[in-house]
Amino acid sequence: FGSVPELEENQRTVDFEVLAKMTPDSAEQQKLVREISWTDAFNWGYDPVHYGVPEGSYSTNPDGAQRVLEYREMVRALAD
C-alpha cells in the first residue's frame, strides 16, 4: 500500500444500488466494500503514506512532474 489511486480510471467503486438493497451491517455489504478498499479513492483527505504532503488531486495533473512543479511554486510563493 503506497497511496490511493489518484486517477479516476484506476479507482474501483462498488455498485451503490446493490449496496442500498443490503443492510449496512450485513456481511455481504462489508465484503463488497472490503474487496475494493485497497483501490478505491477514499483516503480521509490526506495521503497516509506521505503525511503532510498535499494530496496529488490538488494538482492540475496529479500524475507526473507537474505536481512537483506546482508544489515548488506554492512553497516559493509562501516564502516570498
Side-chain angles (χ1 to χ4, degrees):
F1 179 76
S3 185
V4 298
E6 295 170 343
L7 298 175
E8 191 171 340
E9 61 265 19
N10 296 332
Q11 300 167 0
R12 293 181 59 202
T13 60
V14 293
D15 185 336
F16 292 104
E17 290 182 15
V18 172
L19 289 183
K21 296 175 184 174
M22 302 175 183
T23 58
D25 61 348
S26 72
E28 295 84 13
Q29 187 186 66
Q30 297 302 314
K31 181 179 181 255
L32 290 175
V33 172
R34 191 171 41 254
E35 286 175 353
I36 63 140
S37 65
W38 288 98
T39 54
D40 66 359
F42 186 69
N43 70 351
W44 296 87
Y46 70 95
D47 189 329
V49 175
H50 305 105
Y51 186 80
V53 176
E55 162 65 43
S57 62
Y58 291 114
S59 173
T60 58
N61 182 359
D63 207 27
Q66 184 63 32
R67 69 190 287 178
V68 175
L69 295 173
E70 290 174 2
Y71 179 77
R72 289 177 180 172
E73 289 173 8
M74 177 190 67
V75 171
R76 186 178 306 121
L78 291 170
D80 290 346

